[in-house]
Amino acid sequence: MRESFKLLKLGSKSALWAAIVNTIVALIKTVAYLITGNVAMFAEMMHSFGDAANQLFVFIGSALSKKAPTDRFPAGFGRLVNLVLLGAVLVVGVLAYETIVEGIHHISDATHSDDWFWLNIGVLGAAAVLEATVLYKAMQEITEHLPREKVKGLKVIPESYKHVRDAKPATKLVFLEDNVAVGGAVLALLAIIISTYTPFHSATGYASIIIGVLLLLVVGRIFLDNAAGALGVADVKMQAKIGSKVFAHPQVSDIQDLDVIKEGDSLHVELTLEVDPKMTIEQADDIKDDIEKKIKESVANVTDVVIEFDEDDGVNTWDKIKNVKE
């Protein structure tokens, strides 16, 4: 039990905040939908419940992925977060489908009503503000590795969009889902205003369909990213960075092979180095320890470094490997 609590402390903070906020927002939207029967509010309610469930799973998965390797699972649990996210997108996919279907039904049977107008506006406005707060926290997590002067104040917003590809899987899910959440709340607001004050009474139905389609796009993006993560995807940027650092070591003649594999939030590094064939085992062991220490000091989230040695064959292999990997 103590170990579980310790692991939960290591879970994605943005996912936890998102789960809490979206649960509150979903309950508020549920009450509003039950009172008003507004289909745009229904779409937003379903969206928020889906987000809340997803982000809770993501938080738990990101925490459990930090569990230390065991005898049964010697490779560790890094990819568990990818598997959890693959399950989570199924929930969002079902809710997206229901949202689209409800929107289609409303378009075919749209009626004019300005009852509860200000209640709908107030609920969706509050939801947009709360979800924007969670989105901003996810943006801060995405940019936390950047120099502080580069992400001062509102600069965090454009920088987060530039670096979202490099974000941790859990943070990326929260970021993408809350982009849709904020955009969906604003879209639903506009649809309610249009359907109330213009003859276009089916606007909320179209808004519901658009929100559902946006959710499906998020599902597709997250599924592809985490399917690759579950299989084990190479981090090309880190390969170049680590390779340059290792190649600069005075006793490393060449790098025969280098792989940096993403294991959830962590990185697994495998190296085959060429050294002087006259080198003793003790000297090789000292080189191994030194290189492993330097890699872990310069690159965050490296869990393990596997290094093999081979004799120097006099051929520069690293430049060829580097060009192929790039």
Side-chain angles (χ1 to χ4, degrees):
M1 186 64 73
R2 285 184 180 180
E3 184 185 7
S4 298
F5 281 118
K6 286 180 180 178
L7 288 172
L8 288 176
K9 290 180 181 179
L10 301 175
S12 170
K13 299 297 186 296
S14 61
L16 178 60
W17 272 106
I20 294 169
V21 170
N22 276 295
T23 299
I24 295 169
V25 170
L27 292 173
I28 294 171
K29 289 176 181 176
T30 301
V31 173
Y33 170 68
L34 291 174
I35 293 172
T36 66
N38 187 285
V39 71
M41 187 65 74
F42 172 82
E44 280 297 293
M45 175 193 77
M46 295 290 278
H47 182 186
S48 293
F49 272 122
D51 282 356
N54 258 349
Q55 288 152 354
L56 179 61
F57 291 145
V58 169
F59 169 69
I60 294 172
S62 66
L64 294 178
S65 69
K66 304 295 192 302
K67 183 178 173 64
T70 63
D71 291 339
R72 188 178 179 187
F73 300 101
F77 297 83
R79 298 185 194 184
L80 181 61
V81 66
N82 300 113
L83 296 174
V84 170
L85 286 168
L86 286 174
V89 296
L90 295 177
V91 177
V92 181
V94 171
L95 294 177
Y97 169 77
E98 293 295 335
T99 300
I100 292 170
V101 169
E102 188 69 21
I104 293 171
H105 288 164
H106 181 75
I107 291 171
S108 61
D109 189 28
T111 56
H112 170 66
S113 174
D114 56 4
D115 295 337
W116 310 108
F117 173 77
W118 289 110
L119 175 61
N120 286 324
I121 295 296
V123 168
L124 290 172
V129 171
L130 288 171
E131 285 162 343
T133 303
V134 175
L135 177 59
Y136 188 75
K137 285 185 176 295
M139 289 177 173
Q140 288 178 316
E141 279 196 18
I142 290 172
T143 58
E144 64 185 2
H145 67 285
L146 299 176
R148 190 168 293 180
E149 63 274 7
K150 198 173 182 180
V151 290
K152 281 184 178 178
L154 295 178
K155 287 182 179 179
V156 70
I157 297 174
E159 290 297 326
S160 65
Y161 285 95
K162 287 180 186 177
H163 294 87
V164 65
R165 286 190 174 186
D166 301 324
K168 297 175 182 177
T171 306
K172 186 185 290 187
L173 176 75
V174 173
F175 177 81
L176 293 176
E177 283 194 341
D178 275 287
N179 265 285
V180 176
V182 175
V186 173
L187 182 62
L189 273 170
L190 292 174
I192 289 171
I193 293 170
I194 291 169
S195 65
T196 302
Y197 292 108
T198 73
F200 187 38
H201 305 316
S202 59
T204 52
Y206 285 102
S208 180
I209 292 173
I210 293 170
I211 292 168
V213 171
L214 290 173
L215 281 172
L216 287 177
L217 291 175
V218 170
V219 165
R221 181 69 267 166
I222 295 299
F223 176 82
L224 291 174
D225 286 350
N226 286 281
L231 292 172
V233 63
D235 190 324
V236 178
K237 288 184 179 179
M238 284 301 173
Q239 284 175 343
K241 181 178 179 179
I242 291 172
S244 298
K245 188 168 287 294
V246 172
F247 196 65
H249 194 284
Q251 291 174 291
V252 172
S253 305
D254 197 8
I255 301 175
Q256 270 191 18
D257 197 16
L258 167 59
D259 290 304
V260 181
I261 307 298
K262 284 186 177 180
E263 302 270 359
D265 295 343
S266 304
L267 297 173
H268 171 78
V269 181
E270 293 185 7
L271 284 158
T272 302
L273 307 178
E274 290 185 7
V275 294
D276 186 345
K278 297 178 182 178
M279 186 177 291
T280 64
I281 293 176
E282 183 180 358
Q283 290 173 318
D285 189 57
D286 289 340
I287 293 171
K288 175 183 175 296
D289 292 341
D290 185 38
I291 289 174
E292 183 174 350
K293 181 181 177 183
K294 285 181 178 178
I295 290 174
K296 288 185 175 180
E297 285 176 349
S298 61
V299 179
N301 300 321
V302 173
T303 53
D304 63 323
V305 181
V306 177
I307 300 176
E308 295 181 358
F309 292 104
D310 199 356
E311 63 179 343
D312 183 8
D313 59 8
V315 179
N316 189 332
T317 309
W318 171 239
D319 287 340
K320 296 178 183 177
I321 294 174
K322 183 171 62 173
N323 292 333
V324 170
K325 289 180 181 292
E326 289 175 351

